[in-house]
Amino acid sequence: MKTLLMLLLTLLCLTSCTSEYEERLEEGKNLMNRLKKVEGSSDYLSDHQLKVEISQIKNEINLLAKVSGNEILFLKEIVNY
C-alpha cells in the first residue's frame, strides 16, 4: 500500500513539474512573439522606447529560462518556435 502511495505521489510531482515547465514555455513563446512584434514596430516607437521594451522582454525570457530548470533547452525551444 505504501509503495502504491509513493508511486502515485511521485507521478503527481512529475506531472505538476512538467505542467509548470510547459506553462513557462508557453509564456516564453508568447514573449518571443511579442519581441518580434516590437522589433517590427520600430517605425512606431522612438529608439529609446524600443530599446527599453526589447530589454524588458529579453529579461523576462531569461528569467523564465533560469526558472525553468533547463535554461539551454528552454531557450532552444522558444527560439525554434
Side-chain angles (χ1 to χ4, degrees):
M1 186 69 170
K2 287 183 181 181
T3 306
L4 180 60
L5 183 59
M6 288 300 290
L7 179 63
L8 289 174
L9 287 173
T10 303
L11 289 174
L12 180 63
C13 288
L14 291 175
T15 303
S16 67
C17 291
T18 302
S19 66
E20 285 181 29
Y21 178 81
E22 289 173 358
E23 287 176 15
R24 289 188 180 108
L25 187 62
E26 190 62 34
E27 189 177 347
K29 289 176 181 179
N30 290 337
L31 286 169
M32 283 300 289
N33 285 335
R34 185 171 144 209
L35 179 61
K36 290 175 186 177
K37 287 178 185 176
V38 168
E39 289 175 336
S41 67
S42 60
D43 297 338
Y44 306 108
L45 298 172
S46 71
D47 285 339
H48 177 71
Q49 288 175 318
L50 188 64
K51 288 178 184 177
V52 168
E53 184 73 16
I54 289 172
S55 176
Q56 288 175 344
I57 294 170
K58 287 182 178 180
N59 287 341
E60 289 179 50
I61 290 171
N62 288 330
L63 177 63
L64 285 174
K66 288 179 183 177
V67 174
S68 75
N70 193 338
E71 192 172 347
I72 295 170
L73 178 63
F74 182 89
L75 292 172
K76 282 182 181 178
E77 288 187 32
I78 65 168
V79 168
N80 292 328
Y81 167 65

Coordinates of all heavy atoms in Angstrom, one line a residue:
M1 N 0.8 -1.2 0.0 CA 0.0 0.0 0.0 C 0.9 1.3 0.0 O 0.6 2.2 -0.7 CB -0.9 0.0 1.2 CG -1.9 1.1 1.3 SD -3.1 0.9 -0.1 CE -4.3 2.1 0.4
K2 N 1.9 1.3 0.8 CA 2.8 2.4 0.9 C 3.5 2.6 -0.4 O 3.7 3.7 -0.9 CB 3.8 2.3 2.0 CG 3.2 2.4 3.4 CD 4.3 2.3 4.5 CE 3.7 2.5 5.8 NZ 4.7 2.4 6.9
T3 N 3.9 1.5 -1.1 CA 4.6 1.6 -2.4 C 3.7 2.2 -3.4 O 4.1 3.1 -4.2 CB 5.0 0.2 -2.8 OG1 5.7 -0.4 -1.8 CG2 5.8 0.3 -4.1
L4 N 2.4 1.9 -3.4 CA 1.4 2.4 -4.4 C 1.2 3.9 -4.1 O 1.2 4.7 -5.0 CB 0.1 1.7 -4.3 CG -1.0 2.2 -5.2 CD1 -0.6 2.1 -6.7 CD2 -2.3 1.4 -5.0
L5 N 1.2 4.3 -2.8 CA 1.0 5.7 -2.5 C 2.2 6.5 -2.9 O 2.1 7.6 -3.4 CB 0.8 5.8 -1.0 CG 0.5 7.2 -0.4 CD1 -0.7 7.9 -1.1 CD2 0.3 7.2 1.1
M6 N 3.4 6.0 -2.7 CA 4.6 6.6 -3.1 C 4.7 6.8 -4.6 O 5.1 7.8 -5.1 CB 5.9 5.9 -2.5 CG 6.1 6.0 -1.0 SD 6.3 7.7 -0.5 CE 7.9 8.0 -1.2
L7 N 4.3 5.8 -5.3 CA 4.3 5.8 -6.8 C 3.3 6.9 -7.2 O 3.7 7.7 -8.1 CB 3.9 4.5 -7.3 CG 3.8 4.4 -8.9 CD1 5.2 4.7 -9.5 CD2 3.3 3.0 -9.3
L8 N 2.2 7.0 -6.7 CA 1.2 8.0 -7.0 C 1.7 9.4 -6.7 O 1.5 10.3 -7.5 CB -0.2 7.7 -6.4 CG -0.9 6.5 -6.9 CD1 -2.2 6.3 -6.0 CD2 -1.3 6.7 -8.3
L9 N 2.3 9.6 -5.6 CA 2.8 10.9 -5.2 C 4.0 11.3 -6.2 O 4.1 12.5 -6.6 CB 3.3 10.9 -3.8 CG 2.2 10.9 -2.7 CD1 2.8 10.7 -1.3 CD2 1.4 12.1 -2.8
T10 N 4.8 10.3 -6.5 CA 5.9 10.6 -7.4 C 5.3 11.0 -8.8 O 5.8 12.0 -9.4 CB 6.8 9.4 -7.6 OG1 7.3 9.0 -6.3 CG2 8.0 9.7 -8.5
L11 N 4.4 10.3 -9.3 CA 3.8 10.6 -10.6 C 3.1 12.0 -10.5 O 3.2 12.8 -11.5 CB 2.7 9.6 -11.0 CG 3.3 8.2 -11.4 CD1 2.2 7.2 -11.7 CD2 4.2 8.4 -12.7
L12 N 2.4 12.3 -9.4 CA 1.8 13.6 -9.3 C 2.8 14.7 -9.3 O 2.6 15.8 -10.0 CB 1.0 13.7 -8.0 CG 0.3 15.0 -7.7 CD1 -0.8 15.3 -8.7 CD2 -0.3 14.9 -6.3
C13 N 3.9 14.5 -8.6 CA 5.0 15.5 -8.6 C 5.6 15.7 -10.0 O 5.8 16.8 -10.5 CB 6.1 15.1 -7.6 SG 5.6 15.3 -5.9
L14 N 5.8 14.6 -10.7 CA 6.4 14.7 -12.1 C 5.4 15.4 -13.0 O 5.8 16.2 -13.9 CB 6.7 13.3 -12.6 CG 7.9 12.6 -11.9 CD1 8.1 11.2 -12.5 CD2 9.2 13.4 -12.1
T15 N 4.2 15.1 -12.9 CA 3.1 15.8 -13.7 C 3.1 17.2 -13.5 O 3.0 18.0 -14.4 CB 1.8 15.1 -13.5 OG1 1.9 13.7 -13.7 CG2 0.7 15.7 -14.4
S16 N 3.1 17.6 -12.2 CA 3.0 19.1 -11.9 C 4.2 19.8 -12.3 O 4.1 20.9 -12.8 CB 2.7 19.3 -10.4 OG 3.9 18.9 -9.6
C17 N 5.4 19.2 -12.2 CA 6.6 19.8 -12.7 C 6.6 20.0 -14.2 O 7.0 21.1 -14.7 CB 7.8 19.0 -12.3 SG 8.2 19.0 -10.6
T18 N 6.1 19.0 -14.9 CA 6.0 19.1 -16.4 C 5.0 20.2 -16.8 O 5.3 21.0 -17.6 CB 5.5 17.8 -17.0 OG1 6.5 16.8 -16.6 CG2 5.5 17.9 -18.5
S19 N 3.9 20.3 -16.1 CA 3.0 21.3 -16.5 C 3.5 22.7 -16.2 O 3.2 23.7 -16.9 CB 1.6 21.1 -15.8 OG 1.7 21.2 -14.4
E20 N 4.2 22.9 -15.1 CA 4.8 24.2 -14.8 C 5.8 24.6 -15.9 O 5.8 25.7 -16.3 CB 5.5 24.2 -13.4 CG 4.5 24.2 -12.2 CD 5.3 24.2 -10.9 OE1 6.4 24.7 -10.8 OE2 4.7 23.7 -9.9
Y21 N 6.6 23.6 -16.3 CA 7.6 23.9 -17.3 C 6.8 24.3 -18.6 O 7.2 25.2 -19.3 CB 8.5 22.7 -17.6 CG 9.5 22.9 -18.7 CD1 10.6 23.5 -18.5 CD2 9.2 22.4 -20.0 CE1 11.5 23.7 -19.5 CE2 10.1 22.6 -21.0 CZ 11.3 23.3 -20.8 OH 12.1 23.5 -21.8
E22 N 5.8 23.5 -18.9 CA 5.0 23.8 -20.1 C 4.4 25.2 -20.1 O 4.3 25.9 -21.1 CB 4.0 22.7 -20.4 CG 4.6 21.4 -20.8 CD 3.6 20.3 -20.9 OE1 2.4 20.5 -20.6 OE2 4.1 19.2 -21.2
E23 N 3.9 25.6 -18.9 CA 3.3 26.9 -18.7 C 4.4 28.0 -19.0 O 4.1 29.0 -19.6 CB 2.7 27.1 -17.3 CG 1.5 26.3 -17.1 CD 1.0 26.4 -15.7 OE1 1.4 27.3 -14.9 OE2 0.1 25.6 -15.3
R24 N 5.6 27.8 -18.4 CA 6.6 28.7 -18.6 C 7.1 28.8 -20.1 O 7.4 29.8 -20.6 CB 7.8 28.4 -17.8 CG 7.6 28.7 -16.3 CD 8.8 28.5 -15.5 NE 8.5 28.8 -14.1 CZ 8.5 27.9 -13.1 NH1 8.7 26.6 -13.4 NH2 8.2 28.2 -11.9
L25 N 7.1 27.6 -20.7 CA 7.4 27.5 -22.1 C 6.4 28.3 -23.0 O 6.8 29.0 -23.9 CB 7.5 26.1 -22.6 CG 8.0 25.8 -24.0 CD1 9.4 26.3 -24.1 CD2 7.9 24.3 -24.3
E26 N 5.2 28.1 -22.7 CA 4.1 28.8 -23.4 C 4.3 30.3 -23.2 O 4.1 31.1 -24.2 CB 2.7 28.4 -22.9 CG 1.6 28.9 -23.8 CD 1.7 28.4 -25.2 OE1 2.1 27.3 -25.5 OE2 1.3 29.2 -26.1
E27 N 4.5 30.7 -22.0 CA 4.8 32.2 -21.7 C 6.0 32.7 -22.5 O 6.0 33.8 -23.0 CB 4.9 32.4 -20.2 CG 4.9 33.8 -19.8 CD 5.0 34.0 -18.3 OE1 4.8 33.1 -17.5 OE2 5.3 35.2 -17.9
G28 N 7.0 31.9 -22.5 CA 8.2 32.2 -23.3 C 7.9 32.4 -24.8 O 8.4 33.3 -25.4
K29 N 7.1 31.5 -25.3 CA 6.7 31.6 -26.7 C 5.9 32.9 -27.0 O 6.1 33.6 -28.0 CB 6.0 30.4 -27.1 CG 6.8 29.1 -27.2 CD 6.0 27.9 -27.6 CE 6.8 26.7 -27.6 NZ 6.0 25.5 -27.9
N30 N 5.1 33.2 -26.0 CA 4.3 34.4 -26.2 C 5.2 35.7 -26.1 O 5.0 36.6 -26.9 CB 3.2 34.5 -25.1 CG 2.1 33.5 -25.3 OD1 1.9 33.1 -26.4 ND2 1.4 33.2 -24.2
L31 N 6.2 35.6 -25.3 CA 7.1 36.7 -25.2 C 8.0 36.8 -26.5 O 8.3 37.9 -26.9 CB 8.1 36.6 -24.0 CG 7.4 36.8 -22.6 CD1 8.3 36.4 -21.5 CD2 7.1 38.3 -22.5
M32 N 8.3 35.7 -27.0 CA 9.1 35.7 -28.3 C 8.2 36.4 -29.4 O 8.7 37.2 -30.2 CB 9.5 34.3 -28.7 CG 10.7 33.8 -28.0 SD 12.2 34.8 -28.1 CE 12.7 34.5 -29.8
N33 N 6.9 36.0 -29.4 CA 6.1 36.7 -30.4 C 6.0 38.2 -30.2 O 6.0 38.9 -31.1 CB 4.7 36.0 -30.3 CG 4.6 34.7 -31.0 OD1 5.4 34.3 -31.8 ND2 3.7 33.8 -30.5
R34 N 5.9 38.5 -28.9 CA 5.8 40.0 -28.6 C 7.1 40.7 -29.0 O 7.1 41.8 -29.5 CB 5.5 40.1 -27.1 CG 5.3 41.5 -26.6 CD 4.9 41.5 -25.2 NE 5.5 42.6 -24.5 CZ 5.7 42.7 -23.2 NH1 5.5 41.6 -22.4 NH2 6.3 43.7 -22.6
L35 N 8.2 40.0 -28.7 CA 9.5 40.6 -29.1 C 9.6 40.8 -30.6 O 10.0 41.9 -31.1 CB 10.7 39.7 -28.7 CG 12.1 40.1 -29.0 CD1 12.4 41.4 -28.3 CD2 13.1 39.0 -28.6
K36 N 9.1 39.9 -31.4 CA 9.1 40.0 -32.9 C 8.3 41.2 -33.3 O 8.6 41.9 -34.2 CB 8.7 38.7 -33.5 CG 9.7 37.6 -33.4 CD 9.1 36.3 -34.0 CE 10.1 35.1 -33.7 NZ 9.6 33.8 -34.1
K37 N 7.1 41.3 -32.6 CA 6.2 42.4 -33.0 C 6.8 43.8 -32.6 O 6.7 44.7 -33.4 CB 4.9 42.3 -32.3 CG 4.0 41.1 -32.8 CD 2.7 41.0 -32.0 CE 1.9 39.8 -32.5 NZ 0.7 39.6 -31.7
V38 N 7.5 43.8 -31.5 CA 8.1 45.1 -31.0 C 9.2 45.4 -32.0 O 9.4 46.6 -32.4 CB 8.6 45.0 -29.6 CG1 9.5 46.1 -29.2 CG2 7.4 44.9 -28.6
E39 N 10.0 44.4 -32.3 CA 11.1 44.7 -33.2 C 10.6 45.2 -34.6 O 11.2 46.0 -35.3 CB 12.0 43.5 -33.4 CG 12.8 43.2 -32.1 CD 13.6 41.9 -32.2 OE1 13.2 41.0 -33.0 OE2 14.6 41.8 -31.5
G40 N 9.5 44.7 -35.0 CA 8.9 45.0 -36.3 C 8.2 46.4 -36.2 O 7.8 46.9 -37.3
S41 N 7.9 46.9 -35.0 CA 7.2 48.2 -34.9 C 8.2 49.3 -34.7 O 7.8 50.3 -34.1 CB 6.2 48.1 -33.8 OG 6.9 48.0 -32.5
S42 N 9.4 49.2 -35.2 CA 10.4 50.2 -34.9 C 9.9 51.6 -35.6 O 10.4 52.6 -35.1 CB 11.7 49.8 -35.5 OG 11.6 49.6 -36.9
D43 N 9.0 51.5 -36.5 CA 8.5 52.8 -37.1 C 7.6 53.6 -36.2 O 7.5 54.8 -36.3 CB 7.8 52.5 -38.4 CG 8.7 51.8 -39.5 OD1 9.9 52.0 -39.4 OD2 8.1 51.2 -40.4
Y44 N 7.0 52.9 -35.2 CA 6.0 53.5 -34.4 C 6.5 53.9 -33.0 O 5.9 54.6 -32.3 CB 4.8 52.5 -34.2 CG 4.3 52.0 -35.5 CD1 4.5 50.7 -35.9 CD2 3.5 52.9 -36.3 CE1 4.0 50.3 -37.1 CE2 3.0 52.4 -37.5 CZ 3.2 51.1 -37.9 OH 2.8 50.7 -39.1
L45 N 7.7 53.4 -32.6 CA 8.3 53.7 -31.3 C 9.6 54.5 -31.5 O 10.3 54.3 -32.4 CB 8.5 52.4 -30.5 CG 7.3 51.6 -30.2 CD1 7.8 50.3 -29.6 CD2 6.4 52.3 -29.2
S46 N 9.9 55.3 -30.5 CA 11.2 56.0 -30.5 C 12.3 55.0 -30.2 O 12.0 53.9 -29.7 CB 11.2 57.1 -29.5 OG 11.2 56.6 -28.2
D47 N 13.5 55.3 -30.6 CA 14.6 54.4 -30.3 C 14.7 54.0 -28.9 O 15.0 52.9 -28.5 CB 15.9 55.0 -30.8 CG 16.1 55.0 -32.3 OD1 15.4 54.2 -33.0 OD2 16.9 55.8 -32.8
H48 N 14.5 55.0 -28.0 CA 14.6 54.7 -26.6 C 13.5 53.8 -26.1 O 13.8 52.8 -25.4 CB 14.6 56.0 -25.8 CG 14.6 55.8 -24.3 ND1 15.8 55.4 -23.6 CD2 13.7 55.9 -23.3 CE1 15.5 55.3 -22.3 NE2 14.2 55.6 -22.1
Q49 N 12.3 54.1 -26.5 CA 11.2 53.2 -26.1 C 11.4 51.8 -26.7 O 11.1 50.8 -26.0 CB 9.9 53.7 -26.7 CG 9.3 55.0 -26.0 CD 8.1 55.5 -26.7 OE1 8.0 55.5 -28.0 NE2 7.1 55.9 -25.9
L50 N 11.9 51.7 -27.9 CA 12.1 50.4 -28.5 C 13.2 49.6 -27.7 O 13.0 48.4 -27.4 CB 12.6 50.6 -29.9 CG 12.7 49.4 -30.8 CD1 11.3 48.7 -31.0 CD2 13.3 49.7 -32.2
K51 N 14.3 50.3 -27.4 CA 15.4 49.6 -26.6 C 14.9 49.1 -25.2 O 15.2 48.1 -24.8 CB 16.6 50.5 -26.5 CG 17.3 50.7 -27.8 CD 18.5 51.7 -27.6 CE 19.2 51.9 -28.9 NZ 20.2 52.9 -28.8
V52 N 14.1 50.0 -24.6 CA 13.6 49.6 -23.2 C 12.6 48.4 -23.3 O 12.8 47.5 -22.5 CB 12.9 50.9 -22.6 CG1 12.1 50.4 -21.4 CG2 13.9 51.9 -22.3
E53 N 11.7 48.5 -24.3 CA 10.8 47.4 -24.4 C 11.5 46.1 -24.8 O 11.2 45.0 -24.2 CB 9.8 47.7 -25.5 CG 8.7 46.7 -25.7 CD 7.6 46.7 -24.6 OE1 7.6 47.7 -23.8 OE2 6.9 45.7 -24.5
I54 N 12.4 46.1 -25.7 CA 13.2 44.9 -26.1 C 13.9 44.4 -24.9 O 14.0 43.2 -24.6 CB 14.1 45.2 -27.3 CG1 13.2 45.4 -28.6 CG2 15.1 44.1 -27.5 CD1 14.0 45.9 -29.8
S55 N 14.6 45.2 -24.1 CA 15.3 44.8 -23.0 C 14.5 44.2 -21.9 O 14.8 43.1 -21.4 CB 16.0 46.1 -22.4 OG 16.7 45.7 -21.2
Q56 N 13.3 44.7 -21.7 CA 12.4 44.2 -20.7 C 11.9 42.8 -21.1 O 11.8 41.9 -20.3 CB 11.1 45.1 -20.5 CG 11.5 46.3 -19.8 CD 10.3 47.3 -19.7 OE1 9.3 47.1 -20.4 NE2 10.3 48.2 -18.8
I57 N 11.6 42.6 -22.4 CA 11.1 41.3 -22.9 C 12.2 40.3 -22.8 O 12.0 39.2 -22.3 CB 10.6 41.4 -24.3 CG1 9.4 42.3 -24.4 CG2 10.3 40.1 -24.9 CD1 8.9 42.7 -25.8
K58 N 13.4 40.7 -23.2 CA 14.6 39.7 -23.1 C 14.9 39.3 -21.6 O 15.2 38.2 -21.4 CB 15.8 40.3 -23.8 CG 15.7 40.3 -25.3 CD 17.0 40.9 -25.9 CE 16.9 40.9 -27.4 NZ 18.1 41.4 -28.0
N59 N 14.7 40.3 -20.7 CA 14.9 40.0 -19.3 C 13.9 39.0 -18.8 O 14.2 38.1 -18.0 CB 14.9 41.3 -18.5 CG 16.2 42.1 -18.6 OD1 17.2 41.6 -19.1 ND2 16.0 43.4 -18.3
E60 N 12.6 39.2 -19.2 CA 11.6 38.3 -18.8 C 11.8 36.9 -19.4 O 11.7 35.9 -18.7 CB 10.2 38.8 -19.3 CG 9.7 40.0 -18.6 CD 8.4 40.5 -19.1 OE1 7.5 39.6 -19.3 OE2 8.3 41.7 -19.4
I61 N 12.3 36.8 -20.6 CA 12.6 35.5 -21.2 C 13.7 34.8 -20.5 O 13.7 33.6 -20.2 CB 12.9 35.7 -22.7 CG1 11.7 36.0 -23.5 CG2 13.5 34.4 -23.3 CD1 11.9 36.5 -25.0
N62 N 14.8 35.6 -20.2 CA 15.9 35.0 -19.5 C 15.5 34.5 -18.1 O 16.0 33.5 -17.6 CB 17.1 36.0 -19.4 CG 17.8 36.2 -20.7 OD1 17.8 35.3 -21.6 ND2 18.3 37.4 -21.0
L63 N 14.7 35.2 -17.4 CA 14.2 34.8 -16.1 C 13.4 33.5 -16.2 O 13.6 32.6 -15.4 CB 13.3 35.9 -15.5 CG 12.7 35.6 -14.1 CD1 13.9 35.3 -13.1 CD2 11.8 36.7 -13.6
L64 N 12.5 33.4 -17.2 CA 11.8 32.2 -17.4 C 12.7 31.0 -17.7 O 12.5 29.9 -17.2 CB 10.7 32.4 -18.5 CG 9.5 33.2 -18.2 CD1 8.7 33.4 -19.5 CD2 8.7 32.5 -17.1
A65 N 13.7 31.3 -18.5 CA 14.7 30.2 -18.8 C 15.4 29.7 -17.6 O 15.5 28.5 -17.4 CB 15.7 30.7 -19.8
K66 N 15.8 30.6 -16.7 CA 16.5 30.2 -15.5 C 15.6 29.5 -14.5 O 16.0 28.5 -13.9 CB 17.1 31.5 -14.8 CG 18.3 32.0 -15.5 CD 18.8 33.2 -14.9 CE 20.0 33.8 -15.7 NZ 20.5 35.0 -15.2
V67 N 14.4 29.9 -14.4 CA 13.4 29.3 -13.5 C 13.0 27.9 -14.1 O 12.6 27.1 -13.3 CB 12.2 30.2 -13.3 CG1 11.2 29.6 -12.4 CG2 12.7 31.5 -12.6
S68 N 13.0 27.7 -15.4 CA 12.5 26.5 -16.0 C 13.3 25.3 -15.5 O 12.7 24.2 -15.6 CB 12.6 26.6 -17.5 OG 14.0 26.5 -17.9
G69 N 14.5 25.4 -15.1 CA 15.3 24.3 -14.7 C 16.3 23.8 -15.7 O 17.2 23.0 -15.4
N70 N 16.0 24.1 -17.0 CA 16.9 23.7 -18.1 C 17.0 24.9 -19.0 O 16.3 24.9 -20.1 CB 16.4 22.4 -18.8 CG 17.4 21.8 -19.7 OD1 18.4 22.5 -20.1 ND2 17.3 20.6 -20.0
E71 N 17.8 25.8 -18.7 CA 17.9 27.1 -19.4 C 18.2 26.9 -20.9 O 17.5 27.5 -21.8 CB 19.0 27.9 -18.8 CG 19.0 29.3 -19.2 CD 20.0 30.2 -18.4 OE1 20.5 29.7 -17.3 OE2 20.3 31.3 -18.8
I72 N 19.1 26.0 -21.2 CA 19.6 25.9 -22.6 C 18.4 25.3 -23.5 O 18.1 25.8 -24.5 CB 20.8 25.0 -22.7 CG1 22.0 25.8 -22.1 CG2 21.1 24.6 -24.2 CD1 23.2 24.9 -21.9
L73 N 17.8 24.2 -23.0 CA 16.7 23.6 -23.7 C 15.5 24.5 -23.8 O 14.9 24.6 -24.9 CB 16.2 22.3 -22.9 CG 15.0 21.6 -23.5 CD1 15.4 21.1 -24.9 CD2 14.6 20.5 -22.6
F74 N 15.2 25.3 -22.8 CA 14.1 26.2 -22.8 C 14.3 27.3 -23.9 O 13.5 27.5 -24.7 CB 14.0 26.9 -21.5 CG 12.9 27.9 -21.4 CD1 11.6 27.5 -21.0 CD2 13.1 29.3 -21.7 CE1 10.6 28.4 -20.9 CE2 12.0 30.2 -21.6 CZ 10.8 29.7 -21.2
L75 N 15.5 27.8 -24.0 CA 15.8 28.9 -25.0 C 15.8 28.3 -26.4 O 15.3 28.9 -27.3 CB 17.2 29.5 -24.7 CG 17.2 30.4 -23.4 CD1 18.6 30.8 -23.1 CD2 16.3 31.6 -23.5
K76 N 16.3 27.1 -26.5 CA 16.2 26.4 -27.8 C 14.8 26.2 -28.3 O 14.5 26.5 -29.5 CB 16.9 25.0 -27.8 CG 18.4 25.1 -27.9 CD 19.0 23.7 -27.9 CE 20.5 23.8 -27.9 NZ 21.1 22.4 -27.9
E77 N 14.0 25.8 -27.4 CA 12.6 25.5 -27.7 C 11.8 26.8 -28.1 O 11.0 26.8 -29.0 CB 11.8 24.8 -26.6 CG 12.3 23.4 -26.4 CD 11.5 22.6 -25.4 OE1 10.3 22.9 -25.3 OE2 12.0 21.7 -24.8
I78 N 12.1 27.9 -27.4 CA 11.3 29.1 -27.8 C 11.9 29.8 -29.0 O 11.2 30.5 -29.7 CB 11.1 30.1 -26.6 CG1 12.5 30.7 -26.1 CG2 10.4 29.5 -25.5 CD1 12.3 31.8 -25.2
V79 N 13.2 29.7 -29.2 CA 13.8 30.3 -30.4 C 13.4 29.5 -31.7 O 13.1 30.1 -32.7 CB 15.3 30.3 -30.3 CG1 16.0 30.7 -31.6 CG2 15.7 31.3 -29.2
N80 N 13.2 28.2 -31.6 CA 12.8 27.4 -32.7 C 11.3 27.4 -32.9 O 10.8 26.8 -33.9 CB 13.3 26.0 -32.6 CG 14.8 25.9 -32.7 OD1 15.5 26.7 -33.4 ND2 15.4 24.9 -31.9
Y81 N 10.6 28.0 -32.1 CA 9.1 28.1 -32.1 C 8.7 28.8 -33.4 O 9.1 29.7 -33.9 CB 8.6 28.7 -30.9 CG 7.1 29.1 -30.9 CD1 6.2 28.1 -31.1 CD2 6.7 30.4 -30.9 CE1 4.8 28.4 -31.1 CE2 5.4 30.7 -30.9 CZ 4.5 29.8 -31.1 OH 3.1 30.1 -31.1

